[in-house]
Amino acid sequence: MSESNKSDDTRMGASPTRIGDAHLRREAGRAAIWAIVIGLAVLAIYLAQSLLVIFGAMVFAAMIDGGARLLGRALPIGRNWRVAIVLILATGFLAWLVMFAGSTISKEAAQFPELIQQQLAQFFGWLRTQGIAIDTVDLRSLAGSLTSGVGTVTKAIGGIFGGLTTLLLIVIIGIYFAIDPRLYERGVAWMVPEEYRDAFSDTISHQAYTMRRLLAGRLLGMVAEAIFTWALLAIYGVPMAALLGLLTGLLAFIPNIGALISGVLMVLVGFSGGTEMGLYTIFVYFLVQNFDGYVLIPLIAKKTVDLAPALVLSAQLIFGVLFGILGLALADPLLAMIKVGLERRAARFDESDSSMEKAKHGA
C-alpha cells in the first residue's frame, strides 16, 4: 500500500469492512445494485395486490378528473364542487340502472344462465354428430383448471366479498386522488432526486393527460356499443336485448377479450330463437365491432396512444393469469402508461442530442 493510501486510512480510521482494491469496490457496488433490483422485484410480487388496487384507484381518479375538467369548461366553480357533481351524477346513473332498468334486466339475468347452458348443450351435441367427441366431464375439468390458474393475487382478493371490497377500496382511494391530485404528485416528486424532478413532472403530466383521453374514449366506446347492440337486437326481437347491450358495453372496457366474450354470449342467445336470428346476431356483432374498430378506436388513438392489438392482447393474457379479472381490466391502461413513459424518455434524449449538435455547430 502506498504512503498516501496509508495516510488516508490513518486519517479516516480504516474500517475492517472497507475494500481497499478499487476494482473489487466497483464489483461489490454492482452486486449491491443487482441485489437491490432483485429485492425490489420480490417486494413488488408480494405487494402486487396492493399496487394493482392503487393503480385501479388512479384509473378511477382519472375518470373523475376528466369529468371535472369537462365541467370546468361550462361551470366556473371550484374543483371540489365539480368533483362532487361528477360523483353525484355517477351515483345517480347507478341508482337509475338498479331501480328502473334493474327490474327488466334482473328478470333476463335470471333466465340467462339456463339459456346459455341449453345452447351450449345443443352446440356440443351438434359437434358430436360431426364426429367431434366432447365429454362434459372434460369441460368441467378444463373450467376447473382455468379457475385454479388465476394466480395468487386473485386468491388473495377472492371470496364472496373480496371483489366488492377491492372495488370499494378502488373507489375510496380514487376519490381521494381525484380531490387533490397535485398533493400526491408533489409527495412522490419529493422522493425523486432533485435533478430528475423536472423529467418526472413532465412524464407524469403526459401520462395523466393520456390516461384521461384514453378513459374518455373507452367510456364513449362502451356507451356506443351498449346502445347500438341493444337497439339492433331489440329491432329484430332478440331475447334479452337490454341485458346483452349492457354486457357488451361493460365488457367493452376490456379490449379484444371483452368483445369476444360478449359476441359468444350474443350469438348463443340469438340461436335460441332459430337459425335466422342467430345469423342476425352474428351480423350485429360484426357490425358493432367494425364500427368500434374502424371508427371509434382510430379517433381515440389519434388523441391518446396507439397500442398494437397483439401487444395489448399479450399483456391482457399475462396480467389475467397473474392477477385475475382486475389485472385483465387494467392491463390496457397500464401498458399505455408504460409506453408514454418510454416515449417521453426517448423524447428527452432526442432533445439532449439535438442541443448538443447545435452547440457543436455553434462552436
Side-chain angles (χ1 to χ4, degrees):
M1 184 181 292
S2 64
E3 293 296 330
S4 61
N5 289 338
K6 290 181 179 179
S7 60
D8 290 341
D9 291 344
T10 303
R11 288 195 303 269
M12 297 174 60
S15 171
T17 59
R18 181 177 182 275
I19 301 176
D21 188 87
H23 178 70
L24 291 178
R25 283 201 300 270
R26 286 196 298 270
E27 294 299 325
R30 293 174 182 173
I33 292 174
W34 277 108
I36 293 172
V37 170
I38 294 173
L40 290 175
V42 173
L43 182 63
I45 292 173
Y46 279 103
L47 296 178
Q49 174 192 354
S50 301
L51 294 176
L52 203 62
V53 169
I54 293 172
F55 182 74
M58 294 170 63
V59 171
F60 181 70
M63 294 182 185
I64 301 174
D65 184 48
R69 289 172 180 266
L70 190 62
L71 283 177
R73 299 179 180 180
L75 298 177
I77 57 178
R79 175 183 172 79
N80 289 344
W81 286 107
R82 286 184 274 123
V83 170
I85 292 174
V86 172
L87 292 174
I88 291 173
L89 291 176
T91 305
F93 171 75
L94 292 176
W96 171 83
L97 188 64
V98 172
M99 294 174 60
F100 296 98
S103 58
T104 302
I105 295 177
S106 61
K107 295 178 182 178
E108 296 179 351
Q111 303 170 358
F112 191 68
E114 182 180 357
L115 179 61
I116 295 299
Q117 290 179 4
Q118 291 176 357
Q119 291 302 111
L120 286 175
Q122 293 180 7
F123 175 69
F124 294 140
W126 177 81
L127 288 178
R128 281 192 288 268
T129 61
Q130 302 300 317
I132 303 175
I134 297 180
D135 192 359
T136 307
V137 178
D138 296 334
L139 293 174
R140 290 178 180 176
S141 63
L142 177 60
S145 300
L146 293 175
T147 305
S148 62
V150 295
T152 56
V153 175
T154 306
K155 296 177 183 178
I157 63 176
I160 299 176
F161 301 105
L164 293 177
T165 303
T166 302
L167 183 61
L168 182 62
L169 284 174
I170 289 175
V171 170
I172 293 175
I173 299 174
I175 291 174
Y176 280 116
F177 282 159
I179 291 175
D180 191 4
R182 295 288 299 173
L183 173 65
Y184 303 99
E185 182 180 340
R186 290 194 300 268
V188 177
W190 180 80
M191 295 185 289
V192 177
E194 188 173 357
E195 60 269 23
Y196 297 112
R197 287 179 185 173
D198 290 339
F200 171 79
S201 299
D202 174 73
T203 302
I204 288 295
S205 62
H206 280 82
Q207 286 179 332
Y209 175 80
T210 302
M211 178 72 81
R212 290 193 300 270
R213 294 282 183 147
L214 178 68
L215 295 175
R218 189 63 52 78
L219 291 175
L220 177 62
M222 292 170 64
V223 173
E225 287 194 32
I227 293 176
F228 289 162
T229 301
W230 166 74
L232 292 172
L233 295 180
I235 289 174
Y236 197 84
V238 177
M240 307 180 185
L243 178 61
L244 290 172
L246 178 62
L247 290 175
T248 301
L250 292 176
L251 290 171
F253 187 82
I254 307 174
N256 303 323
I257 296 178
L260 180 62
I261 296 174
S262 64
V264 170
L265 297 176
M266 188 188 308
V267 172
L268 287 174
V269 173
F271 275 100
S272 67
T275 304
E276 293 184 0
M277 183 178 290
L279 294 176
Y280 178 77
T281 55
I282 295 176
F283 165 75
V284 171
Y285 170 74
F286 281 107
L287 179 64
V288 172
Q289 294 306 317
N290 283 327
F291 173 77
D292 183 67
Y294 291 103
V295 179
L296 288 179
I297 290 181
L299 291 175
I300 296 169
K302 290 179 181 178
K303 300 290 185 180
T304 56
V305 56
D306 192 10
L307 296 173
L311 184 62
V312 174
L313 184 58
S314 300
Q316 289 173 344
L317 292 176
I318 294 173
F319 278 85
V321 172
L322 292 176
F323 309 122
I325 296 177
L326 187 60
L328 185 65
L330 298 178
D332 189 30
L334 183 58
L335 188 63
M337 295 304 97
I338 293 174
K339 184 177 180 181
V340 171
L342 294 176
E343 287 176 346
R344 294 310 305 163
R345 186 172 183 270
R348 286 191 296 270
F349 276 122
D350 291 340
E351 292 174 0
S352 177
D353 292 340
S354 62
S355 62
M356 290 178 63
E357 289 293 332
K358 290 179 181 179
K360 288 181 181 179
H361 289 300

